[in-house]
């Protein structure tokens, strides 16, 4: 199934107008399960809203296969389509908040199940620590990667890279089935 990532972002940000806004949103179609990708975006936004002081910004951009990616969360293009393969490039979804951010040494831990870095918060307020672990599992099943970095304003910046869909019909059945190899971790 082909999923319009830009449309998903516009729909979700319209449901959360008080604290979530869309920055630059390029058209980007990926292969996969719309329901699972809605969950990815929803979990990322829930997490960002929980930690933001005032605002969360979502962006979508595309990076051609083999092109140097200099945007947030950029890394080497070693995944599908990197060396003249069958994919046309990447959709890059980023969610940034203006909260306290995550210390560099803890950034990989947030993707583990049941990990919560803020022990002072009541479980009622912060969830069970599964949201980002679920996001990583779904993103990996879709052939993508996720990384956590520092937003320009000091908060958290979560960056998801997903392979762009090929021509119509080429990607039928991708994204919801068996796991596919993930692209190289983002640097």
């Amino acid at each position: 199934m082909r999923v319009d990532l830009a449309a998903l972002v516009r729909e979700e940000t319209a449901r959360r107008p008080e604290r979530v806004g869309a920055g630059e949103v390029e058209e980007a179609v990926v292969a996969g399960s719309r329901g699972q990708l809605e969950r990815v975006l929803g979990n990322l936004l829930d997490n960002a809203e929980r930690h933001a002081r005032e605002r969360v910004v979502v962006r979508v951009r595309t990076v051609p296969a083999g092109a140097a990616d200099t945007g947030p969360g950029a890394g080497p293009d070693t995944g599908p389509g990197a060396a003249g393969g069958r994919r046309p490039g990447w959709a890059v979804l980023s969610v940034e908040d203006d909260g306290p951010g995550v210390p560099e040494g803890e950034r990989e831990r947030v993707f583990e199940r049941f990990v919560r870095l803020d022990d002072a918060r009541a479980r009622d307020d912060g969830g069970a620590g599964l949201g980002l672990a679920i996001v990583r599992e779904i993103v990996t099943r879709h052939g993508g990667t996720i990384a956590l970095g520092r937003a320009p304003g000091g908060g958290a910046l979560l960056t998801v890279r997903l392979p762009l869909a090929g021509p119509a019909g080429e990607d039928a059945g991708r994204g919801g089935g068996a796991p596919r190899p993930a692209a190289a971790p983002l640097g």
Side-chain angles (χ1 to χ4, degrees):
M1 175 183 247
R2 297 168 63 84
V3 180
D4 182 343
L5 202 54
L8 218 88
V9 166
R10 287 189 293 270
E11 291 165 15
E12 192 62 33
T13 56
R15 285 192 271 273
R16 303 170 186 240
E18 279 127 39
R19 295 187 64 183
V20 177
E24 183 179 344
V25 178
E26 292 180 27
E27 294 303 313
V29 177
V30 298
S33 163
R34 181 177 172 88
Q36 288 181 3
L37 293 173
E38 284 173 345
R39 186 165 190 186
V40 164
L41 181 57
N43 283 6
L44 291 175
L45 291 176
D46 289 346
N47 189 69
E49 282 186 290
R50 189 175 300 121
H51 298 288
R53 282 192 272 279
E54 295 180 18
R55 198 80 176 137
V56 175
V57 178
V58 186
R59 293 180 176 83
V60 177
R61 60 189 171 83
T62 59
V63 178
D69 181 1
T70 58
D77 189 359
T78 58
R86 66 186 194 287
R87 295 254 183 230
W90 298 96
V92 181
L93 167 71
S94 64
V95 175
E96 88 181 51
D97 66 56
D98 61 356
V102 177
E104 191 170 350
E106 299 289 327
R107 290 180 184 162
E108 191 59 30
R109 282 191 60 225
V110 300
F111 297 108
E112 297 172 13
R113 290 181 173 274
F114 305 111
V115 168
R116 293 168 35 102
L117 298 181
D118 186 355
D119 293 329
R121 263 188 302 147
R123 290 271 179 210
D124 297 353
D125 297 337
L130 288 171
L132 292 178
I134 290 168
V135 165
R136 175 171 267 176
E137 288 176 19
I138 294 170
V139 167
T140 299
R141 277 197 310 263
H142 282 76
T145 60
I146 183 167
L148 173 59
R150 185 175 183 273
L157 170 64
L158 284 143
T159 305
V160 172
R161 286 172 43 122
L162 295 167
L164 288 168
E170 182 180 302
D171 299 303
R174 292 259 168 104
R180 295 172 35 202
L186 297 175

